[in-house]
Amino acid sequence: MIDLYYWPTPNGHKITMFLEEAGLDYTIHPVDISAGDQFKPDFLAFSPNNRMPAIIDRQPADGGDPITVFESGAILLYLAEKTGRFLPSDLRGRKTATEWLFWQMGGLGPMAGQNHHFGVYAPERIPYAINRYVNETNRLYGVLERRLAGRAFIANDDYTIADMACYPWIVPWKRQQQNLDEFPNLRRWFESVRERPGTVRAYAKGEPLATRPTVTEEGKKILFGQTASRN
């Protein structure tokens, strides 16, 4: 039913987490971002930002032609609406879940991503940049810590797409120079999501691809040297 264009990165894992939890039929099409697969014309035709993940829904709810969706947050929202799962149906609950989904898309993901870039991939160490993004990641961990006080999951007491969006960005907490022991509510939530069978299956789907380096030296030129003329 779903063609998933994927690589085992935090944004890729979000989508396999949903698909495994929902039990949807899907086929993974690897997009090796270090080799430049994201620039292939057939992929750009439905993922114009040359980023994975992206999906093609071969059986959309309206019964029409296949639907393509790019951007991981949009994909989670689309799949939740398609299946009627992992997104509250009431006005206030849906509002809260989508707030935290967009919080991840606009905050946790980009800031942790810059943390990874300057801490791991940058060709030179820039202390100001490293400290800036390590500290901002720490602040965002604190936001989640406070949010999870007295709650099983981020949006409410039910597992939602907000949790699926955030979890993969907490997995590399050591790389982000964070300490989960400083955030007991976050650690409790993290371990709860990690142990879910759907999460276990989702990460297992990425293991065959994870043996290959996510970013090679040549891949750095591809990933970090893009301009409008090179897209």
Side-chain angles (χ1 to χ4, degrees):
M1 180 188 299
I2 304 291
D3 287 329
L4 169 61
Y5 292 79
Y6 161 95
W7 199 245
T9 69
N11 287 333
H13 290 309
K14 294 177 191 177
I15 311 307
T16 50
M17 286 174 68
F18 187 102
L19 292 168
E20 289 295 332
E21 288 279 352
L24 293 177
D25 292 331
Y26 69 101
T27 299
I28 287 178
H29 301 272
V31 179
D32 187 339
I33 58 177
S34 197
D37 288 354
Q38 67 273 34
F39 299 107
K40 293 180 178 179
D42 56 343
F43 181 68
L44 284 171
F46 58 89
S47 187
N49 194 38
N50 55 46
R51 295 289 189 273
M52 69 86 223
I55 66 168
I56 302 176
D57 182 0
R58 301 290 179 183
Q59 297 179 14
D62 64 4
D65 293 337
I67 288 178
T68 64
V69 190
F70 72 99
E71 288 296 319
S72 60
I75 296 169
L76 286 175
L77 191 58
Y78 174 85
L79 292 173
E81 292 175 341
K82 173 184 174 68
T83 61
R85 300 188 63 187
F86 307 112
L87 182 66
S89 58
D90 66 289
L91 174 65
R92 297 173 190 272
R94 188 180 192 280
K95 184 275 302 184
T96 300
T98 53
E99 278 180 329
W100 286 97
L101 171 65
F102 293 131
W103 175 84
Q104 184 280 311
M105 295 294 296
L108 180 61
M111 295 301 102
Q114 293 299 321
N115 181 320
H116 297 172
H117 178 80
F118 287 105
V120 179
Y121 300 122
E124 60 182 293
R125 292 187 64 80
I126 305 173
Y128 174 82
I130 294 171
N131 291 335
R132 163 77 177 95
Y133 291 110
V134 168
N135 289 342
E136 179 62 6
T137 302
N138 185 267
R139 187 190 73 81
L140 293 167
Y141 275 43
V143 173
L144 276 181
E145 172 70 11
R146 293 187 294 274
R147 176 63 190 174
L148 288 163
R151 292 184 177 85
F153 298 105
I154 293 172
N156 47 44
D157 286 331
D158 295 319
Y159 187 60
T160 70
I161 55 176
D163 302 289
M164 298 177 195
C166 291
Y167 173 82
W169 284 102
I170 304 297
V171 170
W173 55 271
K174 292 182 181 178
R175 179 193 297 182
Q176 296 164 9
Q177 301 183 53
Q178 305 301 317
N179 181 1
L180 282 189
D181 289 337
E182 297 176 0
F183 305 97
N185 296 321
L186 179 57
R187 177 178 278 281
R188 182 261 309 156
W189 165 85
F190 177 80
E191 292 176 349
S192 173
V193 176
R194 181 179 61 188
E195 293 168 0
R196 292 179 68 90
T199 304
V200 174
R201 292 193 301 270
Y203 274 76
K205 288 294 181 71
E207 286 178 1
L209 301 174
T211 58
R212 300 166 63 179
T214 301
V215 181
T216 62
E217 288 304 315
E218 184 62 28
K220 289 180 183 179
K221 299 176 184 178
I222 295 171
L223 291 170
F224 307 139
Q226 298 172 37
T227 63
S229 62
R230 294 183 63 185
N231 282 348

